[in-house]
Amino acid sequence: METAILWHTGPLIDDDEVAQVHALAADAESVDGAAPLSEQPLLNLRARTDDVVHLLTWRSGELAGYAQVDRRGAVPSAELVVRPAHRRHGLGFHLLASAGDRAAAPAGAAEGEDTEDGAPDAGQGVVPGTTPLRVWAHGDLPAARALAARSGYVPVRELLVLERPLGGASGHPVPPLPAGLRLRAFVPGQDDDAWVRANALAFASHPEQGRLTVADLQDRTREDWFDAAGLLLLEREASGDLVGFVWTKVPVGQDEAGREGEIYVVGVVPDAQGQGLGGLLTAVGLAHLAAAGVTTAVLYVDGDNVPAVRTYERAGFTRREVHVQYAPA
């Protein structure tokens, strides 16, 4: 069967196309138990940049597969999803091969079509050593591992999802602060530049978090889950310099009987690291979530970030699942 994959840069064409991608992702999550597209690709659906490439393919009148290549980092990254009803026909293989082609292609082209005929040969679309693309597989599902192996990709990074139960607010008081430091809520518009600078310093070596811009921050502040009171800044009393922050996230529309909240990000600038502020800010975030009625706290951390993993384990977090990033062997 011929597989036609349409691709274009910039935002998706209209709200209907955006809705189709969200519906496709929701359909896959209902079957797999893991969301196939993370936050940044969903924000990128409306991004006006030629460095984001959308790849779409239809079967039987519906969106059957979607992939996205983000070329804004040092190494291009991608995420993809195939609708469960259209799996086991090579569609994921073709999407991954086309994503590799888009990652390796020179910038300039805005749209096009990739077409594959018949059954794909193993290794098609991947030339070892020439395609720098890295691809996320959320939940580390067996089908994703099989697709990666067939396409010549190997694991290169793990992102752990940790969780812990929360009791009432009385069990999570706000911890005392070290002398000379104060805690306050983020003020949109006033603190944007300072937060972006502190985040860049705290995550200078992180491939995604460290490159967030003011525009990226403002994209998140427009999301329905954003609450400025849940982004807490730790600063020096004398100078007002920002030394760390904890950002929490509570998705809307949850059942009040079992609400889940996230320690979205904890950051400490380099000259304040090694003083236990990461653990302090984690406790501050847990206190805020508990006060908001959250019953389970979750967070994401790179598996090789040993100091952070140990900090979270001491705070009572255990592993829930793992996301794996693959790259050509």
Side-chain angles (χ1 to χ4, degrees), residues 265-321:
V265 59
V266 175
V268 178
V269 301
D271 63 6
Q273 292 175 4
Q275 301 173 30
L277 296 183
L280 173 87
L281 287 165
T282 300
V284 168
L286 292 176
H288 180 83
L289 292 175
V294 167
T295 55
T296 302
V298 299
L299 59 82
Y300 296 75
V301 61
D302 274 286
D304 62 358
N305 188 347
V306 176
V309 172
R310 287 176 176 168
T311 293
Y312 298 136
E313 288 176 342
R314 286 194 294 270
F317 283 89
T318 58
R319 183 182 296 202
R320 172 192 285 186
E321 62 182 8

Side-chain angles (χ1 to χ4, degrees), residues 26-51:
D27 190 5
E29 183 177 4
S30 68
V31 171
D32 300 331
L37 302 176
S38 58
E39 179 183 66
Q40 189 60 57
L42 293 176
L43 290 171
N44 287 346
L45 297 180
R46 300 182 186 276
R48 297 186 176 280
T49 171
D50 289 342
D51 288 325

Side-chain angles (χ1 to χ4, degrees), residues 194-238:
W195 184 87
V196 168
R197 285 194 299 271
N199 179 74
L201 290 170
F203 295 97
S205 61
H206 196 280
E208 294 97 18
Q209 185 69 28
R211 61 184 173 91
L212 293 186
T213 65
V214 169
D216 293 323
L217 168 63
Q218 292 173 348
D219 282 344
R220 286 157 175 76
T221 64
R222 287 190 287 268
E223 291 292 292
D224 58 6
W225 57 262
F226 176 75
D227 177 10
L231 174 46
L232 296 159
L233 309 181
L234 187 65
E235 59 187 17
R236 302 192 188 281
E237 291 180 332

Side-chain angles (χ1 to χ4, degrees), residues 16 18 23 71 83 101 103 105 117 123 131 144 150 187 216 227 242 245 269 301 305 310 319 324 326 328:
D16 182 60
V18 171
R71 301 185 294 200
R83 192 179 295 274
D101 292 340
D117 295 306
T131 306
R150 183 185 184 193
V187 179
D216 293 323
D227 177 10
L242 184 57
F245 54 88
V269 301
V301 61
N305 188 347
R310 287 176 176 168
R319 183 182 296 202
V324 178
Y326 291 87

Side-chain angles (χ1 to χ4, degrees), residues 123-275:
Q124 178 182 342
V126 175
V127 180
T130 64
T131 306
L133 181 68
R134 294 193 173 194
V135 184
W136 280 109
H138 298 294
D140 192 26
L141 302 173
R145 293 197 295 269
L147 172 60
R150 183 185 184 193
S151 302
Y153 282 72
V154 295
V156 293
R157 181 181 169 196
E158 284 190 341
L159 184 65
L160 306 181
V161 185
L162 308 182
E163 67 177 356
R164 63 149 297 166
L166 290 179
S170 61
H172 296 279
V174 177
L177 302 180
L181 297 179
R182 67 188 175 205
L183 194 67
R184 67 174 179 86
F186 174 84
V187 179
Q190 171 186 301
D191 295 321
D192 295 21
D193 290 333
W195 184 87
V196 168
R197 285 194 299 271
N199 179 74
L201 290 170
F203 295 97
S205 61
H206 196 280
E208 294 97 18
Q209 185 69 28
R211 61 184 173 91
L212 293 186
T213 65
V214 169
D216 293 323
L217 168 63
Q218 292 173 348
D219 282 344
R220 286 157 175 76
T221 64
R222 287 190 287 268
E223 291 292 292
D224 58 6
W225 57 262
F226 176 75
D227 177 10
L231 174 46
L232 296 159
L233 309 181
L234 187 65
E235 59 187 17
R236 302 192 188 281
E237 291 180 332
S239 62
D241 291 340
L242 184 57
V243 299
F245 54 88
V246 57
W247 193 346
T248 62
K249 173 181 179 180
V250 181
V252 299
Q254 297 188 74
D255 186 341
E256 292 297 320
R259 302 181 70 209
E260 186 170 282
E262 181 181 341
I263 301 291
Y264 188 54
V265 59
V266 175
V268 178
V269 301
D271 63 6
Q273 292 175 4
Q275 301 173 30

